[in-house]
Amino acid sequence: MITEFPRLFIAISIDEGWRIQLAEQVNLLQHKLPFQKWVHLEDYHITLKFLGEASVEQFPKIQNHLAQVSKMIQPFELTEKGWGTFGPLEAPNILWAGVGGDLDSLNKLQQHIDHMEDHGFPKENRKFHPHLTIARRYKGKAPLAAPIEAYLPKANESIIKWSVTEIKLYQSHVHKSPMYEPLDSFTLSK
Ligand code: 3AM
């Protein structure tokens, strides 16, 4: 349901096989790593742009922009790629799962999407670091060990790959879980 000023962001949803694998890994990590908030499995995504609250007038402009951008990029392949954190190992803010594969296409897509100044959304001032947020705010007393893989059993050889065929516009529902609702999707079709 769209509220009057929905809180919006644009993202790529992930491969179901990866979601299942992450569920198993997160189950192990949750016993070892005290993070304050673990993202709901259904909410896993790769953010391309955070928009924040949008007005009724902005909504169709966002949809038009995404419809245009999606025609500028052809489907491309991504893979899982390791783990990491943002912030110091004593108190990382974010625990993430990494993304590899065709990062040139991903970066190009993100740059096109980020061009929304005319619609009232300023350009992102941080460098784009594609990731999938798994947990937020580490509360442990001892610093985290690096790499995060040290907390997980040795990975099997096959790396999960999938084809990104669409981008999605999501609404955040701050007090719900899962909290991200896909409102619209746009097929990549150069
Ligand atoms: O899950 P990730 O980290 O990819 O962190 C928020 C989340 O991204 C980010 O938008 C995504 C969907 O909520 N986000 C939330 N508030 C933000 C803000 N003020 C923000 N990104 C930038 N500025």
Side-chain angles (χ1 to χ4, degrees):
M1 190 189 75
I2 305 176
T3 52
E4 200 176 350
F5 287 100
R7 192 180 158 87
L8 303 178
F9 67 98
I10 300 155
I12 293 172
S13 58
I14 66 156
D15 176 74
E16 281 309 307
W18 195 21
R19 198 187 305 276
I20 291 164
Q21 177 176 291
L22 285 168
E24 289 165 10
Q25 292 170 318
V26 164
N27 201 18
L28 298 172
L29 292 175
Q30 280 176 329
H31 290 103
K32 299 177 185 172
L33 304 180
F35 275 84
Q36 189 171 318
K37 185 172 179 234
W38 292 83
V39 174
H40 193 289
L41 279 178
E42 301 285 319
D43 281 337
Y44 288 168
H45 65 272
I46 300 161
T47 301
L48 295 169
K49 186 170 180 63
F50 174 77
L51 299 172
E53 288 186 358
S55 65
V56 176
E57 291 76 30
Q58 282 172 311
F59 196 79
K61 292 179 182 167
I62 297 166
Q63 286 174 305
N64 280 339
H65 174 66
L66 293 178
Q68 278 175 27
V69 167
S70 63
K71 292 189 195 114
M72 298 161 83
I73 303 277
Q74 51 189 318
F76 59 95
E77 193 171 84
L78 290 181
T79 72
E80 56 167 323
K81 194 176 177 198
W83 291 77
T85 53
F86 293 145
L89 287 174
E90 292 74 29
N93 204 21
I94 301 280
L95 170 67
W96 50 257
V99 180
D102 185 355
L103 296 182
D104 284 347
S105 293
L106 181 60
N107 284 323
K108 206 163 27 154
L109 176 61
Q110 188 271 340
Q111 280 163 19
H112 284 309
I113 286 178
D114 202 17
H115 248 303
M116 298 180 72
E117 300 94 326
D118 291 352
H119 307 318
F121 299 102
K123 249 181 153 52
E124 180 57 60
N125 50 23
R126 289 179 300 189
K127 189 177 178 310
F128 177 52
H129 185 299
H131 66 279
L132 191 159
T133 296
I134 298 289
R136 298 175 193 278
R137 291 179 293 280
Y138 179 67
K139 295 289 172 195
K141 294 209 169 63
L144 268 188
I148 296 297
E149 282 82 347
Y151 295 101
L152 290 166
K154 203 172 168 325
N156 61 24
E157 295 305 310
S158 64
I159 291 175
I160 289 175
K161 299 178 182 169
W162 80 101
S163 180
V164 177
T165 56
E166 60 180 14
I167 48 181
K168 287 185 182 170
L169 178 63
Y170 286 87
Q171 179 174 3
S172 287
H173 297 280
V174 178
H175 300 295
K176 282 192 185 169
S177 181
M179 65 188 291
Y180 301 140
E181 177 190 6
L183 298 179
D184 207 346
S185 63
F186 305 85
T187 305
L188 301 180
S189 65
K190 189 182 170 191

